[in-house]
């Protein structure tokens, strides 16, 4: 484990020692070395009196993948199920997070690409709800590199991608907050999103409480250094990282993101 990652995990480990006894017991049960290897690159982060869990994922060191259905063609439905399936396959998923909007049948809304296979097409038309609060955008992985782009820019010169999920709205577009966000907005929800820094690091964040879109976007731009960031989901936002006692696990989720340590 990199020394910097270990340092970033110290506040989280201290919190576990104080209150997350089940996680500590799990660590003892699986062995310290195995537990350390399962630690995600995440840390507690405070911004403007709101608490977040932030996970900084360098694609050079970590593998970012999208998941929707299992090999039998059935949606995973929950991050717990996804984690268990990866364990059964001999893989350690450091953390998982829900990855965008989906329909009642759990099918993705908008573009969805998994292992280079396009399983749902890009959506450019108008509509209602957060997804259609233009501009919306796409988070994608290409040749081991992460990116977030507004959908309109993505489709102009569409790259070949390994993984992609479309969601909306964009939080930050080329260093500017989404034009529809209001500083005095009153809609507060639990939210999760992803941004990409200039150094190529993908930054995932989930609020521990409710937050407005404007405040969430400023987190990515002003505190996390992301010129482009995308809202993934709200209300049922969840991040599953059992090694640090983060076991949020809503049922009937659509697309999900899983992060793994590269060997």
């Amino acid at each position: 484990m990199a020394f910097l990652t270990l340092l970033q995990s110290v506040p989280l480990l201290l919190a576990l020692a104080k209150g997350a006894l089940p996680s500590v017991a799990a660590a003892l049960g699986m062995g310290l070395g195995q537990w350390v290897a399962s630690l995600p690159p995440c840390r507690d982060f405070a911004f403007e009196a709101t608490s977040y869990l932030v996970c900084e994922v360098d694609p050079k060191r970590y593998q970012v993948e999208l998941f929707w259905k299992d090999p039998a063609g059935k949606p995973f439905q929950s991050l717990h199920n996804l984690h268990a399936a990866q364990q059964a396959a001999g893989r350690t998923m450091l953390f998982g997070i829900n990855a965008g909007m989906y329909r009642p049948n759990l099918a993705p809304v908008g573009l969805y690409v998994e292992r280079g296979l396009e399983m749902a097409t890009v959506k450019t038309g108008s509509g209602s709800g957060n997804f259609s609060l233009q501009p919306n955008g796409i988070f994608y992985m290409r040749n081991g590199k992460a990116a977030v782009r507004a959908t309109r820019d993505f489709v102009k010169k569409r790259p070949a991608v390994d993984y992609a999920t479309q969601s909306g709205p964009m939080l930050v577009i080329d260093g500017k907050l989404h034009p529809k966000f209001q500083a005095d907005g009153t809609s507060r929800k639990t939210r999760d999103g992803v941004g990409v820094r200039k150094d190529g690091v993908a930054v995932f964040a989930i609020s521990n409480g409710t937050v407005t879109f404007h405040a969430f976007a400023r987190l990515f731009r002003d505190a996390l250094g992301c010129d482009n960031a995308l809202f993934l989901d709200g209300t049922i936002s969840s991040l599953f990282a059992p090694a640090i006692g983060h076991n949020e696990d809503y049922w009937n989720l659509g697309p999900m993101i899983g992060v793994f340590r590269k060997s």
Side-chain angles (χ1 to χ4, degrees), residues 96-175:
I97 191 169
N98 46 338
M101 313 296 175
Y102 51 93
R103 305 184 190 281
N105 66 354
L106 309 186
V109 175
L111 181 67
Y112 181 81
V113 178
E114 188 175 315
R115 299 182 183 276
L117 176 64
E118 183 175 317
M119 304 173 73
T121 59
V122 67
K123 190 174 186 293
T124 57
S126 60
S128 59
N130 290 331
F131 182 92
S132 296
L133 188 59
Q134 299 295 334
N136 61 21
I138 295 168
F139 167 70
Y140 62 94
M141 299 295 301
R142 181 190 184 198
N143 297 328
K145 296 181 180 180
V148 169
R149 290 174 65 188
T151 301
R152 64 193 180 195
D153 297 328
F154 181 90
V155 298
K156 284 180 182 177
K157 191 175 180 181
R158 180 169 173 170
V161 298
D162 301 308
Y163 295 93
T165 183
Q166 184 179 3
S167 190
M170 287 286 287
L171 298 169
V172 187
I173 311 103
D174 296 330

Side-chain angles (χ1 to χ4, degrees), residues 41 54 79 137-138 147 201 216 238 243 247 258:
V54 172
L79 291 165
I138 295 168
V201 170
F216 196 44
S238 52
N247 296 311

Side-chain angles (χ1 to χ4, degrees), residues 15-205:
L16 286 174
K18 290 180 180 179
L21 293 178
S23 294
V24 174
L28 294 174
M30 72 171 64
L32 183 59
Q34 186 179 352
W35 179 64
V36 169
S38 70
L39 286 174
C42 303
R43 58 192 170 109
D44 287 321
F45 192 89
F47 178 67
E48 297 180 345
T50 299
S51 171
Y52 299 89
L53 185 67
V54 172
C55 303
E56 296 169 309
V57 178
D58 184 347
K60 296 184 183 69
R61 299 176 54 216
Y62 299 97
Q63 180 76 17
V64 181
E65 300 179 15
L66 278 157
F67 298 90
W68 172 25
K69 295 180 178 180
D70 64 20
K74 179 182 177 181
F76 283 104
Q77 291 188 290
S78 75
L79 291 165
H80 178 86
N81 285 349
L82 175 60
H83 179 263
Q86 298 309 303
Q87 278 189 318
R91 308 181 75 199
T92 300
M93 189 174 79
L94 303 182
F95 75 90
I97 191 169
N98 46 338
M101 313 296 175
Y102 51 93
R103 305 184 190 281
N105 66 354
L106 309 186
V109 175
L111 181 67
Y112 181 81
V113 178
E114 188 175 315
R115 299 182 183 276
L117 176 64
E118 183 175 317
M119 304 173 73
T121 59
V122 67
K123 190 174 186 293
T124 57
S126 60
S128 59
N130 290 331
F131 182 92
S132 296
L133 188 59
Q134 299 295 334
N136 61 21
I138 295 168
F139 167 70
Y140 62 94
M141 299 295 301
R142 181 190 184 198
N143 297 328
K145 296 181 180 180
V148 169
R149 290 174 65 188
T151 301
R152 64 193 180 195
D153 297 328
F154 181 90
V155 298
K156 284 180 182 177
K157 191 175 180 181
R158 180 169 173 170
V161 298
D162 301 308
Y163 295 93
T165 183
Q166 184 179 3
S167 190
M170 287 286 287
L171 298 169
V172 187
I173 311 103
D174 296 330
K176 297 181 179 180
L177 301 188
H178 193 290
K180 299 291 180 61
F181 295 166
Q182 301 295 323
D184 58 354
T186 58
S187 175
R188 301 180 63 89
K189 298 180 183 296
T190 302
R191 306 187 193 274
D192 72 271
V194 59
V196 178
R197 299 195 314 230
K198 286 185 174 67
D199 61 2
V201 170
V203 184
F204 297 88

